[in-house]
C-alpha cells in the first residue's frame, strides 16, 4: 500500500479509535485526545494541511472549536460561519468557498461538524471515507452523550436516595436540606444553590441551607418576596429559568447587587400541592441554564420536597408519641394516687389499664387482667348485663350522657359500687369505657344496721300510734257519748297529728327498705290509668277542702304494664299531695296520662310558686324541703318525692320535674311498656333520655 493510499483510506483501527469516544466521554483529557485524532485523520484523508472539529455546546447551543490539526485558530469565526451554513442547509456535507464541511449528525440531532480547508481536488473515495468517519464520529459522540446522561441520572438517583435517607434519619432536616443544595449544584453545574422556606407572615424567603462560594453569607439570611416572585412561586407553582436576571424585574435589585448573579433557576418546593419554599441555583460567572438543567433540578426539588414532607411527618409522629407517652405517664401517676379503682377498656371491652386501687379491690394484679374482657371481672349473673350495657354505649352519642351504676358483690362478701361510662374521641367515635370502682362494703353494712334500727324503731312507734289513732277515732265517732265542742276540736287536732306521724313512720319504713334493697314489688299486669284515677279519688276530699279542682285528661289508649299497682298509686298520691299543698285556693291541678313510644307518661301540673332552677335537681333528695316550704299549707317529711323516685326507677322508669319560679311545676313519671322495644331502658342512667323520647 502506498503512502497516498495510506493517508487517504479509512482503516478499521481508525473507526475503532473513534468508537472509543463513548467510553472516554467522562474524561475530558481523553475526549480532547479523540477530537484531536478526528481532526488530524480528517486532514490526512483529504490530503489537506489543516482540519478542525466543532461541537455544539449542550448548555448554550453554540458552536465551540474543540480540536485543530494545523494552524486554523485565526479562521475560527469564518469556519464557524461555514458550519452554520451547511447545518442550515440540512446537507450531510458540502464545500463552501473551498472548504469541506461534514456535519456530525446522529439520532436526528447535529452535534457539530468536521471542517477541512481543501488545497486541491479530493477523490470520491476520500469523500466517502470522510463521510463514513463523520457518521461514525457523530454516532460515537451521541452514544457517549447518552452514556454520560445515564451516568448523570444514576448520580441523581443516588443523590435522591441519599436525600431521602438523610431526611428520615435527621429529624431537624438540616442535613437533608444541605444535601439537596449540594446535589442540586452538582446536577446543573451551578456556582450557587440555596434552599429557601417562605415565611408568609413576614413575606420573606428564609434561606435554610446553601452551597457554593457565597454559602456563608446566604445561609440563614432573609430576603423580601417581591410581587413578581410571589406570583412565580405561589400562583403558577411552575419552575422557571431566568438567564438575564438584570432585565427580568422579578428579583430585587438589592439581591442582584449583593450576590452579583447573572442567571437563575428556580423550582418551587411543594408539600401536598402547597408551595412552602424554593430551590434555586445561580451563576455569577458561568453560562446560562438549559431546559435539561431545569428538569434535573425539578426532579431533585420534587424528591427533596417529598423527603422533607416525610421527615416532617416522621418528626411530628415522634413528637406526638413522646407527648402521648408523657400524658400517659401523668395519667398513670394520677390514677396511682386515686383511692378509687379505675379500669379502662377499649371498644371491644378488653382491659387496657388498671390502677393499684383497682388491683386491691378485685384482688388481682394488673398483669393478670390486662388483655382480658371486662365481662370476666363481674360475677356470672352480671356478665350478660355488662355486655348489653357496652353495646348500648357503642350506639350512643357523647351528648347522651349515658352511664351505668351498680353494686356488685365480689368473693369474700366484698361489695363494690361501680360506675361505668363510655369514652369518645374528638370526632365522637366510641373508643371504650372507663369504670370507677369504690369499695362500699363498710357503708352498706352501716346502712343495713341503720335500716334495721329505723325499722325496729318505726315498728315500735307504729303500734302505739295505731292504738292511739283507733282510740281517737272511737271518741270522735261518739262511741263514749257526746264530746264537748272544745274538747272535740282538741281531739281532732290530735287525730290529724297522729295520722301525720303514722304517715311519717310509713315513709321511714319505705326509705329504710329502699336503702337496704328490701323494697318488694308485687308485680302484676296493671292499668296505670286506673291506678291514677284511684289516687285522684282518694285525694279528692283534700283538694275540695282547699278549694282546688283536679282536672284529668287521658290521651289515646294507654297499654297495660307490669308493675305494683299499690306502689304506683303511692307515687301518684305523693305527687297529688305535693301539688295540693302548694296550689293556691281556686286554682286547678291538671293530671294527664298518655302513651309515648314504648312509655306511659303521667304528669301532674300545678299552679303553685314553682321551683327555682338551682333546686330542681335536689327535690328528689331525702328530707329536702326547699325555699318554697313557706308556701305550703302543711309541713311534710321531705321523703315523698325520694320514695316516689325509687319506686319509679325500680319499675325501670324515671321521674322528672319541669318548673320555673312563679310559673308552677310539672312532675312527670314515665314507665316502660313491655310489649314495645324498651330493652335496657332501666339499665342506663340518663336524665335527658325520656325527655327526648317525649318530644319524638
Amino acid at each position: 500500500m502506498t503512502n497516498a493510499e495510506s493517508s487517504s483510506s479509512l482503516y478499521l483501527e481508525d473507526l475503532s479509535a473513534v468508537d472509543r469516544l463513548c467510553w472516554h466521554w467522562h474524561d475530558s483529557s481523553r475526549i480532547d485526545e479523540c477530537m484531536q485524532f478526528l481532526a488530524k485523520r480528517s486532514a490526512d484523508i483529504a490530503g489537506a494541511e489543516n482540519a478542525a472539529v466543532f461541537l455544539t455546546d449542550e448548555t448554550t447551543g453554540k458552536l465551540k472549536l474543540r480540536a485543530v490539526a494545523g494552524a486554523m485558530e485565526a479562521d475560527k469565526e469564518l469556519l464557524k460561519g461555514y458550519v452554520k451554513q451547511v447545518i442550515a442547509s440540512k446537507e450531510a456535507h458540502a464545500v463552501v468557498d473551498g472548504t469541506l464541511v461534514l456535519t456530525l449528525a446522529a439520532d436526528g440531532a447535529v452535534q457539530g461538524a468536521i471542517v477541512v480547508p481543501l488545497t486541491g481536488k479530493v477523490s470520491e473515495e476520500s469523500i466517502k471515507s470522510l463521510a463514513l468517519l463523520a457518521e461514525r464520529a457523530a454516532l460515537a459522540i451521541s452514544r457517549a452523550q447518552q452514556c454520560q446522561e445515564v451516568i448523570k441520572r444514576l448520580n441523581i438517583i443516588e443523590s435522591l436516595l441519599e436525600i431521602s435517607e438523610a431526611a428520615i434519619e435527621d429529624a431537624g432536616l438540616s442535613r437533608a436540606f444541605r444535601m439537596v443544595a449540594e446535589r442540586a449544584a452538582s446536577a446543573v453545574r451551578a456556582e450557587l444553590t440555596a434552599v429557601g422556606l417562605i415565611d408568609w407572615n413576614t413575606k420573606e424567603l428564609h434561606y435554610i441551607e446553601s452551597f457554593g462560594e457565597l454559602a456563608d453569607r446566604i445561609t440563614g439570611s432573609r430576603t423580601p418576596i417581591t410581587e413578581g416572585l410571589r406570583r412565580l412561586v405561589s400562583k403558577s407553582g411552575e419552575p422557571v429559568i431566568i438567564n438575564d436576571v438584570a432585565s427580568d424585574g422579578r428579583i430585587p435589585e438589592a439581591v442582584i447587587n449583593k450576590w452579583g448573579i447573572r442567571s437563575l433557576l428556580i423550582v418551587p418546593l411543594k408539600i401536598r400541592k402547597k408551595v412552602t419554599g424554593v430551590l434555586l441555583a445561580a451563576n455569577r460567572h458561568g453560562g446560562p441554564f438549559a431546559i435539561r438543567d431545569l428538569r434535573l433540578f425539578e426532579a431533585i426539588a420534587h424528591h427533596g420536597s417529598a423527603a422533607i414532607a416525610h421527615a416532617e411527618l416522621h418528626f411530628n409522629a415522634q413528637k406526638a408519641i413522646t407527648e402521648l407517652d408523657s400524658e400517659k405517664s401523668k395519667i398513670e401517676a394520677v390514677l396511682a394516687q386515686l383511692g378509687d379503682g379505675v379500669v379502662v377498656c377499649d371498644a371491644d371491652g378488653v382491659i387496657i389499664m388498671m390502677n393499684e386501687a383497682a388491683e386491691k379491690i378485685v384482688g388481682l394484679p394488673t398483669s393478670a387482667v390486662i388483655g382480658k374482657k371486662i365481662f370476666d371481672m363481674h360475677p356470672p349473673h352480671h356478665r350478660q348485663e355488662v355486655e348489653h350495657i357496652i353495646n348500648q354505649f357503642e350506639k350512643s352519642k357523647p351528648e347522651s350522657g349515658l352511664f351505668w351504676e351498680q353494686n356488685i358483690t365480689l368473693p369474700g362478701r366484698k361489695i363494690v359500687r361501680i360506675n361505668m361510662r363510655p369514652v369518645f374521641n374528638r370526632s365522637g367515635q366510641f373508643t371504650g369505657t372507663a369504670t370507677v370502682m369504690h369499695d362500699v362494703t363498710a357503708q352498706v353494712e352501716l346502712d343495713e344496721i341503720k335500716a334495721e334500727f329505723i325499722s325496729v324503731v318505726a315498728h315500735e312507734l307504729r303500734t302505739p300510734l295505731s292504738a292511739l289513732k283507733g282510740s281517737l277515732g272511737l271518741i270522735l265517732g261518739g262511741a263514749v257519748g257526746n264530746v264537748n265542742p272544745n274538747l272535740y276540736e282538741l281531739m281532732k287536732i290530735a287525730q290529724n297529728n297522729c295520722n301525720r306521724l303514722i304517715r311519717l313512720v310509713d315513709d321511714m319504713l319505705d326509705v329504710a327498705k329502699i336503702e337496704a334493697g328490701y323494697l318488694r314489688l308485687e308485680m302484676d299486669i296493671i292499668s296505670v290509668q286506673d291506678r291514677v284515677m284511684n289516687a285522684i279519688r282518694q285525694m279528692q276530699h283534700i283538694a275540695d277542702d282547699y278549694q282546688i279542682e283536679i282536672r284529668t285528661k287521658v290521651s289515646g289508649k294507654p297499654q297495660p304494664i307490669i308493675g305494683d299497682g299499690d306502689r304506683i298509686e303511692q307515687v301518684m298520691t305523693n305527687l297529688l299531695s305535693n301539688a295540693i299543698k302548694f296550689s293556691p285556693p281556686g286554682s286547678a291541678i291538671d293530671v294527664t296520662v298518655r302513651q309515648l313510644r314504648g312509655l306511659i307518661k303521667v304528669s301532674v301540673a300545678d299552679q303553685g310558686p314553682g321551683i327555682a332552677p338551682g333546686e330542681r335537681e335536689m327535690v328528689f333528695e331525702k328530707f329536702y324541703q326547699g325555699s318554697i316550704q313557706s308556701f305550703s299549707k302543711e309541713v311534710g317529711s321531705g321523703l315523698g318525692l325520694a320514695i316516689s323516685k325509687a319506686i319509679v326507677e325500680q319499675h325501670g322508669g324515671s321521674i322528672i320535674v319541669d318548673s320555673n319560679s312563679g310559673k308552677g311545676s310539672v312532675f312527670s313519671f314515665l314507665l316502660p311498656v313491655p310489649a314495645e322495644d324498651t330493652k335496657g331502658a332501666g339499665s342506663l342512667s340518663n336524665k335527658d333520655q325520656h325527655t327526648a323520647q317525649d318530644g319524638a
Side-chain angles (χ1 to χ4, degrees):
M1 182 182 297
T2 64
N3 289 336
E5 289 175 331
S6 174
S7 61
S8 62
S9 300
L10 189 62
Y11 295 101
L12 183 60
E13 56 265 28
D14 295 331
L15 298 179
S16 298
V18 172
D19 285 343
R20 283 195 293 273
L21 267 172
C22 63
W23 304 110
H24 300 320
W25 200 260
H26 63 282
D27 187 341
S28 58
S29 63
R30 299 298 301 273
I31 292 175
D32 291 339
E33 180 182 329
C34 291
M35 292 297 103
Q36 195 65 39
F37 164 79
L38 187 60
K40 185 176 184 308
R41 194 71 185 95
S42 297
D44 290 343
I45 293 173
E49 297 177 359
N50 305 310
V53 178
F54 287 89
L55 293 182
T56 303
D57 188 275
E58 295 179 48
T59 303
T60 63
K62 296 179 179 180
L63 288 171
K64 184 178 181 181
L65 183 63
R66 288 301 305 267
V68 175
M72 296 184 61
E73 192 69 30
D75 299 327
K76 180 174 65 174
E77 293 303 321
L78 177 63
L79 297 176
K80 190 182 296 183
Y82 293 160
V83 172
K84 291 180 179 179
Q85 183 177 340
V86 174
I87 292 175
S89 70
K90 298 184 179 180
E91 295 182 6
H93 59 270
V95 177
V96 182
D97 292 339
T99 300
L100 177 62
V101 178
L102 302 106
T103 59
L104 299 173
D107 301 326
V110 177
Q111 287 90 23
I114 300 173
V115 181
V116 183
L118 301 175
T119 56
K121 188 176 180 180
V122 182
S123 66
E124 287 296 326
E125 183 182 352
S126 296
I127 294 293
K128 289 180 181 180
S129 296
L130 286 170
L132 180 58
L133 182 64
E135 180 182 340
R136 185 60 67 91
L139 189 60
I141 292 170
S142 177
R143 296 295 178 266
Q145 290 175 340
Q146 290 175 9
C147 289
Q148 186 187 40
E149 184 66 23
V150 169
I151 293 172
K152 192 172 186 179
R153 288 186 179 276
L154 288 174
N155 291 334
I156 293 295
I157 292 172
E158 184 179 354
S159 299
L160 297 181
L161 292 174
E162 290 176 350
I163 292 170
S164 298
E165 292 174 359
I168 293 172
E169 294 171 0
D170 188 2
L173 296 180
S174 58
R175 180 167 170 254
F177 279 127
R178 186 164 57 253
M179 292 187 69
V180 167
E182 291 178 3
R183 299 303 186 268
S186 174
V188 299
R189 298 185 300 279
E191 299 170 7
L192 167 68
T193 52
V195 178
L197 298 183
I198 299 174
D199 186 341
W200 290 114
N201 293 324
T202 61
K203 297 180 180 179
E204 292 177 320
L205 199 58
H206 182 201
Y207 295 100
I208 305 299
E209 284 291 342
S210 60
F211 180 78
E213 57 183 273
L214 298 177
D216 294 340
R217 293 169 55 188
I218 295 174
T219 301
S221 65
R222 292 174 175 264
T223 59
I225 301 176
T226 63
E227 184 61 30
L229 186 58
R230 185 184 294 112
R231 287 198 304 269
L232 178 68
V233 300
S234 66
K235 296 294 178 62
S236 68
E238 296 295 328
V240 72
I241 294 175
I242 304 174
N243 277 327
D244 188 0
V245 172
S247 62
D248 188 87
R250 285 179 285 186
I251 307 301
E253 186 176 350
V255 175
I256 298 174
N257 295 335
K258 181 179 180 180
W259 293 357
I261 59 176
R262 296 173 55 189
S263 55
L264 192 63
L265 176 58
I266 302 176
V267 175
L269 296 174
K270 299 178 184 178
I271 297 178
R272 292 179 291 275
K273 297 183 179 180
K274 180 181 179 182
V275 176
T276 59
V278 295
L279 174 62
L280 61 85
N283 279 331
R284 304 175 71 197
H285 310 292
F289 296 105
I291 296 297
R292 182 189 302 180
D293 296 328
L294 179 61
R295 298 299 170 237
L296 291 173
F297 208 61
E298 191 175 13
I300 292 177
H302 287 178
H303 203 84
S305 295
I308 292 168
H310 184 277
E312 287 182 344
L313 288 174
H314 177 74
F315 175 73
N316 291 335
Q318 291 297 324
K319 183 179 178 182
I321 291 172
T322 302
E323 291 175 352
L324 285 174
D325 287 341
S326 175
E327 290 299 318
K328 182 181 178 183
S329 298
K330 292 178 182 177
I331 292 172
E332 288 176 344
V334 171
L335 292 178
Q337 300 301 317
L338 289 178
D340 289 339
V342 178
V343 178
V344 181
C345 301
D346 63 16
D348 296 323
V350 176
I351 300 172
I352 57 176
M353 183 185 296
M354 187 171 78
N355 69 349
E356 186 176 343
E359 289 183 350
K360 293 178 180 178
I361 290 173
V362 301
L364 293 171
T366 301
S367 58
V369 298
I370 293 295
K372 294 186 177 180
K373 296 278 190 178
I374 186 68
F375 321 133
D376 298 332
M377 297 287 292
H378 290 262
H381 60 281
H382 275 300
R383 289 175 187 173
Q384 187 175 359
E385 184 179 7
V386 175
E387 188 171 2
H388 170 68
I389 295 305
I390 294 177
N391 290 335
Q392 292 290 93
F393 284 159
E394 189 173 0
K395 299 173 185 177
S396 66
K397 300 294 182 183
E399 59 271 14
S400 65
L402 296 182
F403 66 93
W404 182 63
E405 199 167 65
Q406 182 75 43
N407 279 2
I408 62 173
T409 303
L410 298 180
R413 294 185 56 79
K414 181 183 291 185
I415 302 173
V416 178
R417 187 71 171 173
I418 62 169
N419 184 300
M420 181 184 291
R421 295 176 183 268
V423 178
F424 302 92
N425 59 21
R426 291 183 178 179
S427 61
Q429 183 181 6
F430 174 73
T431 59
T433 60
T435 302
V436 178
M437 310 172 68
H438 184 66
D439 189 344
V440 294
T441 306
Q443 180 182 339
V444 170
E445 290 175 350
L446 182 62
D447 287 343
E448 289 177 352
I449 295 172
K450 181 178 68 174
E452 185 178 355
F453 172 76
I454 292 174
S455 179
V456 171
V457 171
H459 277 294
E460 292 298 323
L461 287 173
R462 204 178 196 287
T463 301
L465 285 172
S466 297
L468 181 59
K469 177 183 177 181
S471 299
L472 290 171
L474 289 172
I475 294 172
L476 291 172
V480 293
N482 293 330
V483 181
N484 181 283
N486 292 331
L487 182 60
Y488 182 90
E489 189 64 31
L490 292 174
M491 298 293 287
K492 189 68 176 177
I493 293 173
Q495 185 186 46
N496 290 338
N497 280 281
C498 183
N499 289 333
R500 191 165 67 85
L501 284 173
I502 290 173
R503 288 196 302 270
L504 178 59
V505 169
D506 288 340
D507 287 346
M508 290 175 64
L509 282 171
D510 283 342
V511 168
K513 291 175 182 177
I514 291 168
E515 290 183 343
Y518 298 144
L519 183 65
R520 293 183 59 186
L521 298 180
E522 299 295 334
M523 307 300 280
D524 198 357
I525 299 175
I526 65 169
S527 167
V528 175
Q529 176 185 350
D530 291 345
R531 294 296 181 166
V532 168
M533 298 309 296
N534 288 345
I536 292 174
R537 282 191 289 270
Q538 294 175 28
M539 300 298 295
Q540 186 65 60
H541 70 283
I542 300 177
D544 293 340
D545 290 343
Y546 290 111
Q547 301 175 19
I548 295 171
E549 179 186 4
I550 299 178
R551 299 183 299 209
T552 307
K553 180 181 179 181
V554 178
S555 300
K557 297 180 179 179
Q559 298 295 312
I561 71 165
I562 297 176
D564 187 326
D566 292 338
R567 291 296 185 180
I568 297 300
E569 282 188 28
Q570 182 180 354
V571 172
M572 191 64 197
T573 301
N574 284 338
L575 296 183
L576 285 171
S577 177
N578 278 350
I580 292 170
K581 282 195 300 182
F582 293 103
S583 294
S587 64
I589 296 172
D590 291 303
V591 177
T592 60
V593 181
R594 56 176 170 154
Q595 182 164 343
L596 306 174
R597 185 177 57 195
L599 297 165
I600 290 180
K601 180 178 181 181
V602 180
S603 299
V604 178
D606 63 50
Q607 298 174 11
I611 304 170
E615 296 183 353
R616 286 201 296 265
E617 298 296 328
M618 297 183 286
V619 295
F620 296 105
E621 295 180 4
K622 297 190 295 281
F623 304 109
Y624 182 76
Q625 298 291 336
S627 60
I628 63 171
Q629 276 300 319
S630 58
F631 295 94
S632 176
K633 300 178 179 64
E634 58 181 80
V635 179
S637 65
L639 295 174
L641 289 177
I643 294 170
S644 298
K645 181 175 185 292
I647 292 172
V648 171
E649 289 181 350
Q650 278 202 260
H651 279 79
S654 65
I655 187 167
I656 56 176
V657 60
D658 183 14
S659 179
N660 287 297
S661 297
K663 296 183 179 180
S665 302
V666 181
F667 282 85
S668 303
F669 62 92
L670 302 99
L671 301 171
V673 178
E676 301 191 29
D677 184 14
T678 57
K679 185 178 181 181
S683 300
L684 301 176
S685 297
N686 176 4
K687 64 181 181 180
D688 298 321
Q689 178 182 5
H690 299 300
T691 303
Q693 289 175 326
D694 188 13

